[in-house]
Amino acid sequence: MRYGVISDIHSNLEAFRAVLGALDGEMVDNYLFVGDLVGYGADPKECIRMLRDLGPVAMVAGNHEWGLLGKTEASYFNELAQKAVLWTKKILSDDEIKYLESFPLTYEDEKIALVHGTLNSPEEFYYVFDTEDAYVTMSQMKNCLCFIGHSHVPGIFISDDSKVTYLEDMSTKIDNQRKYLVNVGSVGQPRDGDYKASYAVYDDEELTVQIKRVDYDVQKAQEKILRSGLPPKLAYRLSEGR
């Protein structure tokens, strides 16, 4: 089965639509969602509707879901994120908030795990930036593959016994004797210097993972943010990939 793996949509409808269009071309069978559906962007309601319609086979909560629900302290967030959380909470219906409440913190089956930040203390939403960060989560993995998001920077870490390395390529073949930690990057707000939306394709029969990028209408997403009353910086950063 082929899965589209998406994370950090952040209410960016234009980027979300572009990624789903690209995944249609990938002939995926189902979806995995790795957290942060809301926050930063101007279209939380429509993005919630689209994810509900997709019906991912598995999904987990991100820090922006937890912040909106009051499960993460406001002090965790910087000023921009705090303003986005408060703005989003004001416009969502009770039903939409209840949907976000249904997201678990972690997911695990016999093949994969999902967590927004790290498997150690997932409620703290720690970041994985380097091999040392990756090692902590990989030591908690019970299977060979875990998908994460949160940093908005795509990348693949591989563990062989006690050594963790970062893979320069954005694709890999899965060896069941090793462990793989895959950050699928951000659909709605990439921060690696590339504005294009990021997503992954996972094939559990071919045992492959590929991280891919797709162009989207950044200007339209920016204009919506500027009209919404959200902080302008949230619009400007999209074209910079920061």
Side-chain angles (χ1 to χ4, degrees):
M1 184 172 288
R2 287 170 63 81
Y3 297 89
V5 193
I6 51 180
S7 184
D8 296 278
I9 295 166
H10 284 301
S11 303
N12 186 333
L13 181 60
E14 284 66 42
F16 194 10
R17 283 175 171 165
V19 166
L20 293 185
L23 285 169
D24 280 345
E26 296 282 353
M27 303 297 289
V28 299
D29 303 293
N30 215 313
Y31 298 87
L32 304 170
F33 176 63
V34 199
D36 275 1
L37 173 57
V38 298
Y40 298 133
D43 286 300
K45 297 174 78 69
E46 186 65 14
C47 287
I48 288 173
R49 184 195 66 77
M50 286 174 63
L51 190 70
R52 292 180 89 162
D53 289 346
L54 279 183
V57 68
M59 54 189 181
V60 295
N63 54 299
H64 280 255
E65 278 80 59
W66 268 44
L68 186 147
L69 297 170
K71 296 181 179 182
T72 293
E73 294 291 333
S75 59
Y76 171 88
F77 298 94
N78 63 35
E79 184 179 357
L80 285 175
Q82 286 184 29
K83 289 181 177 179
V85 167
L86 292 174
W87 180 89
T88 301
K89 188 174 182 178
K90 287 179 181 178
I91 69 170
L92 294 186
S93 68
D94 290 344
D95 180 64
E96 288 162 340
I97 291 174
K98 186 176 181 180
Y99 174 66
L100 298 180
E101 287 177 338
S102 72
F103 295 8
L105 260 183
T106 61
Y107 171 85
E108 188 172 18
D109 61 28
E110 67 278 3
K111 293 182 179 180
I112 64 167
L114 305 178
V115 67
H116 188 64
T118 61
L119 286 175
N120 59 301
S121 302
E123 73 282 357
E124 298 292 339
F125 298 104
Y126 296 129
Y127 288 93
V128 174
F129 286 120
D130 54 33
T131 55
E132 290 185 9
D133 299 332
Y135 175 79
V136 179
T137 280
M138 297 175 96
S139 66
Q140 304 284 319
M141 290 170 58
K142 297 176 182 177
N143 44 38
C144 69
L145 179 59
C146 179
F147 291 106
I148 63 171
H150 194 33
S151 72
H152 298 210
V153 178
I156 301 172
F157 297 90
I158 301 176
S159 174
D160 192 350
D161 296 324
S162 61
K163 182 180 180 181
V164 177
T165 56
Y166 178 78
L167 187 66
E168 294 297 331
D169 292 335
M170 289 293 167
S171 64
T172 188
K173 182 85 171 176
I174 303 299
D175 177 351
N176 289 325
Q177 302 304 309
R178 308 176 79 180
K179 290 182 178 180
Y180 300 80
L181 185 63
V182 179
N183 191 321
V184 302
S186 174
V187 170
Q189 195 192 83
R191 295 179 187 166
D192 60 343
D194 183 348
Y195 74 90
K196 295 184 180 70
S198 180
Y199 64 97
V201 178
Y202 164 53
D203 192 315
D204 67 358
E205 295 178 359
E206 297 293 330
L207 294 178
T208 58
V209 174
Q210 296 176 291
I211 298 173
K212 300 192 173 188
R213 308 299 282 258
V214 64
D215 203 348
Y216 75 95
D217 192 340
V218 177
Q219 184 176 349
K220 186 174 182 180
Q222 290 175 316
E223 290 171 351
K224 288 181 176 180
I225 291 171
L226 294 173
R227 289 198 305 267
S228 73
L230 284 162
K233 186 175 180 180
L234 295 176
Y236 302 143
R237 72 188 302 177
L238 292 180
S239 56
E240 300 173 353
R242 299 291 183 192

